[in-house]
Amino acid sequence: MTIYSRIAGTGSYLPEEILTNEDLAKRVETTDEWITKRVGIRNRHVIGDSGDTTTSMAVEAARRAIEAAGLVPNDIELIVVGTATPDYYFPSTACTVQKELGISSECPAFDLNAACSGFIYSLSVADRFVKTGMKNVLVIGVDSLTQMVDWTDRSTCVLFGDGAGAVVLQASEEPGIMNTILHADGSQNMAICSKSAIWFPDEPIKLTMQGNEVFRSAVTKLGEVVEETLAAEGLDKTAIDWLIPHQANLRIIQAMAKRLNLPMEQVVLTIENHGNTSAASVPLALDHAVRTGQVKRGQTLLLEAFGAGLSWGAALVIY
Ligand code: UT7
């Protein structure tokens, strides 16, 4: 008997404060028109002065996913948190999520850093735990990149937002996650970078990105990995009901839809109002699509993400 990880529930959390393109145009030399046309973002949610943290956002998204799955926190047997912006080097975000949700101390918990690909990587790892015997696993993607953005650099500060998304994976005899494929290319490790404050104490914490190079790599590598994921299951492009992409740039998303011969009506888009929320981007989009009724049980979803590392991956999921 084959055991699958089925997505039993989804949840997400966005900080209340919204930063618009007009707000940004007051800080750096940019325009709503440039950001909308070149990237596809109008608004992004930011932690700002709200008191939210990476951990508090993760906890709230997790709470909602567990509730949506019809479970209680103590049903969770493992917590995996994809994040590049933990509140602490240690303890892990996952251990504090465990504490905040009152989950049994027997439940293992750890963070995984694959930057914007953090959720896809975490999903892939969690899937393996379910296939080898766990019943309910909590997977969270969360980031607060606005805390490390250089607010004087117009080429990056307009791109990012904060948020969290989560899913509960449940062991099932019914098909769920069919396949996940992960890749990385460390030869481009500095293409997107944020240095540790411990080793570079004299430099301000900030995110740098070689936007053009990353754009080109993202289109090429994501195109390859989505085809690889379908081929691994012997499926062709018509099998996909929904593409749920990393929300980094609308033009990258459009290139993926074209490669998959998918009309944009079959692509879940949250970039306009979320911006790039890094590891939270895919689970936020998934939760949005589930709660708005776009994605329905039994449909085939293709999830993909690309980010620092460089790292990228895709997941083929029967929802
Ligand atoms: O999530 C991790 C993965 N990240 C990504 O996938 C992001 C990939 N990269 C991108 O999405 C795009 O490369 C960016 C959105 C970052 C930049 O867009 P672009 O079309 O590649 O712009 P560019 O860097 O080639 O810059 C074109 C022009 C430049 O001006 P000049 O040199 O032609 O005069 C930039 O200085 O646009 C200028 N520019 C801006 N102008 C107005 C750059 N940022 C801005 C801005 N407002 N915010």
Side-chain angles (χ1 to χ4, degrees):
M1 183 178 60
T2 307
I3 294 295
Y4 295 94
S5 315
R6 186 179 148 267
I7 296 178
T10 66
S12 61
Y13 178 83
L14 288 161
E16 256 178 45
E17 187 177 328
I18 292 170
L19 191 66
T20 66
N21 290 350
E22 287 77 11
D23 295 331
L24 283 161
K26 290 177 197 150
R27 295 189 188 190
V28 287
E29 204 182 324
T30 190
T31 58
D32 173 51
E33 193 200 352
W34 191 94
I35 304 171
T36 310
K37 208 167 143 196
R38 304 300 298 167
V39 199
I41 304 172
R42 287 184 196 278
N43 307 301
R44 64 289 284 146
H45 291 253
V46 295
I47 282 178
D49 298 324
S50 65
D52 279 325
T53 62
T54 291
T55 308
S56 70
M57 295 193 295
V59 167
E60 200 45 47
R63 218 187 286 283
R64 293 172 188 180
I66 292 168
E67 193 184 318
L71 300 176
V72 294
N74 252 330
D75 293 324
I76 299 299
E77 292 162 71
L78 166 71
I79 305 168
V80 186
V81 178
T83 187
T85 50
D87 301 333
Y88 299 89
Y89 290 116
F90 49 84
S92 68
T93 313
C95 282
T96 308
V97 168
Q98 184 210 48
K99 175 189 162 197
E100 293 297 321
L101 292 178
I103 295 174
S104 149
S105 59
E106 295 297 313
C107 159
F110 62 91
D111 288 4
L112 184 162
N113 180 353
C116 293
S117 311
F119 178 76
I120 300 286
Y121 266 64
S122 299
L123 195 73
S124 181
V125 170
D127 178 40
R128 285 156 171 77
F129 278 95
V130 173
K131 284 184 173 139
T132 50
M134 286 191 173
K135 285 196 188 64
N136 295 302
V137 173
L138 177 61
V139 187
I140 303 170
V142 57
D143 267 313
S144 48
L145 282 183
T146 65
Q147 302 302 295
M148 61 169 64
V149 153
D150 176 357
W151 292 104
T152 65
D153 176 8
R154 68 176 182 174
S155 69
T156 52
C157 77
V158 303
L159 304 175
F160 299 102
D162 302 321
V167 300
V168 174
L169 294 185
Q170 194 160 57
S172 168
E173 291 172 28
E174 299 295 318
I177 295 179
M178 303 303 291
N179 191 359
T180 58
I181 292 184
L182 309 177
H183 290 293
D185 177 8
S187 72
Q188 294 195 68
N189 61 342
M190 290 295 128
I192 313 174
C193 176
S194 177
K195 293 176 181 171
S196 151
I198 292 180
W199 300 105
F200 302 92
D202 300 330
E203 298 184 31
I205 296 175
K206 66 175 186 186
L207 182 159
T208 57
M209 179 165 70
Q210 294 155 18
N212 272 311
E213 287 77 0
V214 173
F215 187 99
R216 272 196 296 274
S217 295
V219 170
T220 306
K221 296 302 179 187
L222 284 174
E224 288 169 6
V225 78
V226 292
E227 289 187 356
E228 195 183 349
T229 309
L230 286 170
E233 290 304 306
L235 295 173
D236 67 29
K237 296 168 183 177
T238 56
I240 303 169
D241 292 306
W242 289 98
L243 173 65
I244 307 189
H246 177 42
Q247 312 279 321
N249 188 314
L250 183 59
R251 289 181 292 139
I252 298 176
I253 298 173
Q254 286 165 336
M256 281 318 102
K258 196 169 168 198
R259 179 122 178 198
L260 292 165
N261 299 330
L262 270 185
M264 287 306 284
E265 290 72 32
Q266 282 173 255
V267 181
V268 176
L269 289 176
T270 51
I271 186 167
E272 185 175 340
N273 290 312
H274 293 181
N276 181 348
T277 55
S278 186
S281 158
V282 170
L284 264 167
L286 172 63
D287 186 49
H288 171 82
V290 166
R291 287 175 193 262
T292 55
Q294 282 180 291
V295 162
K296 296 185 176 56
R297 286 286 173 200
Q299 288 188 321
T300 302
L301 319 178
L302 186 57
L303 283 46
E304 46 89 333
F306 185 94
L310 296 174
S311 63
W312 63 99
L316 188 71
V317 180
I318 310 280
Y319 179 72

